[in-house]
Amino acid sequence: MRDDPQQRHKQKIIAEVEQRSLTSVMNNTKWNSLEEAIYRELAFAPAFQSKYILDAEPSPLEFEQDVFYLGDWESLSFAWYNIEWVRVKPRLLEHTGKYTAPNVLSIEDEWVNLLQRLRIPYIHKEHDYWIYGYATATEYEQLDY
């Protein structure tokens, strides 16, 4: 029997989920539906910060302010099973000139409608939306659909 690194990685994730008493919130079908809808229905793919089960820190580490870049949702699809949470900013900064403040392009209403239509559980905190792959009991109780 051959040693399968991907299977070994999945087993580590399962062990960590059990050790931390996390509840599975999303599945591959929901993640795939969300990714497809983002690219098909929204004016732009919103930027996100992701936290994987086995990683100590999220990426990117700093994500407090609105950003000038889009989210690469396809980069997440290789390992939906590994995502603890994704923090989404459904806004995009647009350069307007060297000496002027950027415009803020918002798709927040469309984003919330998409989440609700697809029945994607989320938590709205200030201007960000948190989608949990796995949640603590406290986070699970706060989820909106």
Side-chain angles (χ1 to χ4, degrees):
M1 191 159 119
R2 290 179 35 175
D3 185 33
D4 183 354
Q6 185 176 8
Q7 193 60 35
R8 206 172 45 235
H9 186 251
K10 285 183 179 182
Q11 291 301 321
K12 286 180 183 179
I13 291 167
I14 291 168
E16 182 70 14
V17 166
E18 289 174 359
Q19 191 270 328
R20 291 172 48 198
S21 299
L22 298 175
T23 300
S24 178
V25 178
M26 292 281 280
N27 58 37
N28 285 352
T29 302
K30 282 193 175 279
W31 283 118
N32 287 330
S33 296
L34 178 60
E35 178 191 346
E36 289 173 14
I38 285 169
Y39 287 114
R40 188 177 59 244
E41 300 175 27
L42 298 179
F44 58 85
F48 59 85
Q49 177 185 47
S50 57
K51 166 71 172 67
Y52 293 96
I53 290 290
L54 299 177
D55 291 348
E57 300 287 343
S59 178
L61 193 55
E62 296 295 323
F63 197 65
E64 298 308 313
Q65 305 299 319
D66 286 331
V67 296
F68 288 95
Y69 57 86
L70 300 174
D72 180 8
W73 288 82
E74 291 176 346
S75 70
L76 295 177
S77 64
F78 75 96
W80 295 127
Y81 68 90
N82 190 20
I83 297 172
E84 185 170 345
W85 51 258
V86 176
R87 177 184 179 189
V88 181
K89 292 188 179 297
R91 292 166 312 286
L92 178 66
L93 295 178
E94 178 183 55
H95 289 284
T96 56
K98 188 173 181 178
Y99 300 108
T100 58
N103 286 335
V104 178
L105 306 176
S106 176
I107 55 168
E108 194 159 0
D109 291 341
E110 296 88 340
W111 174 251
V112 171
N113 289 337
L114 184 141
L115 293 176
Q116 291 173 346
R117 184 174 51 76
L118 296 176
R119 306 231 357 107
I120 303 291
Y122 67 93
I123 296 175
H124 180 208
K125 296 179 187 175
E126 297 181 20
H127 295 289
D128 297 343
Y129 293 81
W130 301 71
I131 300 171
Y132 288 85
Y134 301 90
T136 64
T138 302
E139 293 160 345
Y140 190 82
E141 292 174 0
Q142 297 175 28
L143 292 172
D144 287 322
Y145 287 83

